[in-house]
Amino acid sequence: MEHLPVEVIGNILSHLEGARDVVIASATCRKWREAYRKHLHTLAFNSNDWPAYCDISPILLEILITRTIFQTTGLQGLSILMDDAGEFTASTVIAWLMYTRETLRRLFYNVPTSPNVNILAICGRQKLEILAVAHNSITGVEPNFQRFPCLKSLSLSHVCISALDLSLLVTACPKLESLELVDPEIAISDAQVTVELSSPTLKSIYVEAISLDKFILETDSIERLHLRDCALEVFELIGKGTLKYFKIDDVSVIHLDIAETVDNLEVVDVSSFTIIWTRFYQMISRSSKLRKLRLWDVTFDDYDEGIDLETIAVCFPQLKHLSLCYELRDGLMHYGLQGSSNLENVTVLELGWTVINDFFSHWVEELLKRCPNLKKIIIFGVISEAKSHEECQILAKFTSSIVRLMRKYMHVEVQFEYE
């Protein structure tokens, strides 16, 4: 160890990340203390990593963090996540950021302060590439002054911000590639809550727990879109057909429009969602490159006729991974067995049920026949704790049916996952 260059020791300490571990390790000898002072590039204070943070008074904790940060030079990554450590003095937190801002590339910030600290004003016009802010307020965005010329990833979690400031902030990041919005509190300026975001460089967006009247996203480079646990009246994506990954999970939306961006879609994953199949199909039907299709816990509109395997086989010839959750309602099976076209390229099949009945094993058998090159099948099921005698018989009959069925398909790997 004594022959290790001090720069290498700095890299070792940086991989520890946790400030407590870094300080303890740097006490090994004078050489390690030098590496800590001059060559440490990543440092993290996280109340979840070391619960004792929460037992220290905020004033003492401020002193410890200040001493630790001010002994370093050239920090590139700083993480200060203090969920339950009390409220910090704004002037102290500003001192931390002012000391490190010229070299910082990555900042993860969740520090309750009084008054609120304007992160954008302090870190704007610097070299930040990743910025994650949680449980704070962002107001009065000035894109000309608070500009982030190098920022590629922006995450806002439980942040209070107006629709206008959010739009201006995205505009102030000319190289932004990834945007994450988790349960933001959108300040209301009029009766209708509308968010309009525009970024020519944005490639990935994740939106969770947001409630809006209208959400319009315009970007020419979008590749990944994931909406989760959202309530939207209108969601519109405007782009140039670059979208490859589309996931929507437990979302309520009246009008969904991604039609002009779907030509290169490779993955469509829809779960816990109510849709009119014909409308949804019209949006994704041009996705001839689709490789994975997942429709799970999806409820079709009462007036719709459902979806059949023939439609899937004809429209998505490159499909390799198919996931369907079986549902039989009012005598209509939502994933019908009409037609004769095979799913030639499907190698992985995921099938599940919400309520099992005698028809499920027949449905599984017919799907196996339509996938001649299948390599793996995974069967998901929900089993209630209080099972009636009839339910136990149905499950036993299904198990016997699958055992007999899989003897015909010895080359196919079978997995069961029950909850």
Side-chain angles (χ1 to χ4, degrees):
M1 294 290 286
E2 63 184 20
H3 299 296
L4 280 177
V6 70
E7 295 85 359
V8 174
I9 298 173
N11 284 333
I12 293 172
L13 292 174
S14 297
H15 279 85
L16 294 178
E17 291 193 355
R20 178 173 176 269
D21 296 332
V22 170
V23 171
I24 293 173
S26 67
T28 304
C29 64
R30 185 172 60 186
K31 192 173 184 180
W32 282 66
R33 286 193 293 274
E34 180 187 354
Y36 164 64
R37 291 193 304 269
K38 297 182 179 180
H39 299 284
L40 184 72
H41 53 76
T42 303
L43 194 58
F45 302 88
N46 191 331
S47 57
N48 294 324
D49 290 344
W50 191 40
Y53 277 131
C54 300
D55 298 329
I56 303 173
S57 68
I59 295 176
L60 181 55
L61 196 52
E62 286 179 17
I63 295 172
L64 292 174
I65 294 176
T66 301
R67 287 178 177 176
T68 306
I69 291 177
F70 277 42
Q71 290 183 62
T72 67
T73 57
L75 276 181
Q76 296 180 19
L78 179 60
S79 177
I80 310 176
L81 306 176
M82 295 291 157
D83 286 322
D84 304 306
E87 197 171 74
F88 289 72
T89 306
S91 58
T92 303
V93 176
I94 291 172
W96 301 340
L97 299 175
M98 293 293 289
Y99 182 77
T100 58
R101 65 176 184 171
E102 291 186 2
T103 58
L104 274 187
R105 300 291 188 274
R106 303 173 301 280
L107 176 60
F108 300 87
Y109 179 88
N110 179 7
V111 185
T113 62
S114 180
N116 185 61
V117 173
N118 191 334
I119 294 289
L120 305 185
I122 298 172
C123 298
R125 295 181 175 273
Q126 301 299 324
K127 300 175 182 178
L128 270 182
E129 297 177 4
I130 299 174
L131 175 61
V133 180
H135 295 97
N136 277 266
S137 296
I138 295 177
T139 58
V141 176
E142 296 287 347
N144 292 326
F145 176 70
Q146 298 163 348
R147 195 167 180 80
F148 293 85
C150 302
L151 198 69
K152 295 182 178 180
S153 176
L154 175 63
S155 174
L156 303 178
S157 179
H158 304 278
V159 167
C160 181
I161 187 171
S162 71
L164 176 60
D165 281 334
L166 179 57
S167 179
L168 291 174
L169 179 55
V170 171
T171 303
C173 306
K175 294 185 179 180
L176 190 65
E177 295 181 0
S178 175
L179 176 62
E180 183 178 284
L181 301 174
V182 177
D183 197 12
E185 182 181 341
I186 305 296
I188 301 175
S189 57
D190 51 37
Q192 188 179 58
V193 185
T194 300
V195 169
E196 296 185 38
L197 303 180
S198 178
S199 171
T201 59
L202 192 63
K203 294 182 179 180
S204 174
I205 182 167
Y206 173 78
V207 181
E208 179 181 345
I210 192 171
S211 180
L212 296 170
D213 294 316
K214 184 181 291 186
F215 194 141
I216 300 175
L217 176 64
E218 184 174 357
T219 172
D220 295 337
S221 306
I222 190 73
E223 294 180 1
R224 295 178 63 90
L225 171 62
H226 185 178
L227 304 178
R228 184 173 184 269
D229 191 22
C230 297
L232 307 167
E233 288 192 13
V234 176
F235 180 85
E236 184 177 354
L237 176 63
I238 303 171
K240 293 186 176 179
T242 56
L243 189 66
K244 294 182 179 180
Y245 178 98
F246 175 60
K247 184 172 183 178
I248 186 166
D249 178 14
D250 195 15
V251 171
S252 171
V253 59
I254 297 175
H255 178 74
L256 175 67
D257 186 3
I258 61 168
E260 299 304 317
T261 65
V262 301
D263 289 351
N264 291 295
L265 264 178
E266 295 179 3
V267 176
V268 172
D269 187 334
V270 181
S271 59
S272 302
F273 190 49
T274 300
I275 59 175
I276 298 175
W277 168 252
T278 51
R279 185 181 300 171
F280 185 75
Y281 168 71
Q282 287 173 358
M283 281 193 294
I284 67 170
S285 60
R286 301 201 313 269
S287 309
S288 59
K289 299 178 182 179
L290 199 68
R291 297 179 181 275
K292 179 178 179 179
L293 176 63
R294 183 174 184 264
L295 299 175
W296 209 265
D297 249 349
V298 175
T299 302
F300 291 100
D301 186 271
D302 288 337
Y303 299 101
D304 194 49
E305 296 181 355
I307 170 181
D308 61 86
L309 289 178
E310 184 74 12
T311 301
I312 296 176
V314 172
C315 294
F316 311 123
Q318 298 186 33
L319 196 66
K320 292 186 175 182
H321 190 136
L322 178 61
S323 303
L324 299 174
C325 186
Y326 166 90
E327 183 178 354
L328 186 67
R329 189 181 65 190
D330 298 330
L332 174 67
M333 186 175 63
H334 279 166
Y335 308 108
L337 302 172
Q338 300 95 327
S340 58
S341 298
N342 287 336
L343 297 157
E344 296 288 347
N345 291 313
V346 171
T347 57
V348 178
L349 193 59
E350 293 180 337
L351 303 176
W353 73 74
T354 51
V355 178
I356 191 171
N357 55 38
D358 292 335
F359 197 79
F360 183 73
S361 56
H362 170 68
W363 184 62
V364 173
E365 181 176 6
E366 291 302 315
L367 279 165
L368 282 169
K369 291 179 182 178
R370 303 282 285 272
C371 302
N373 296 304
L374 192 67
K375 296 181 180 179
K376 184 176 183 178
I377 181 172
I378 307 171
I379 296 177
F380 296 83
V382 178
I383 302 177
S384 60
E385 293 184 10
K387 295 179 286 294
S388 65
H389 178 67
E390 182 182 0
E391 287 176 324
C392 290
Q393 283 190 320
I394 292 175
L395 185 59
K397 185 177 180 180
F398 165 72
T399 304
S400 300
S401 300
I402 292 299
V403 170
R404 289 194 300 270
L405 177 62
M406 296 318 298
R407 287 173 181 164
K408 302 178 184 178
Y409 299 91
M410 298 295 289
H411 63 285
V412 178
E413 179 186 350
V414 186
Q415 289 184 10
F416 295 89
E417 294 193 18
Y418 293 149
E419 62 178 59

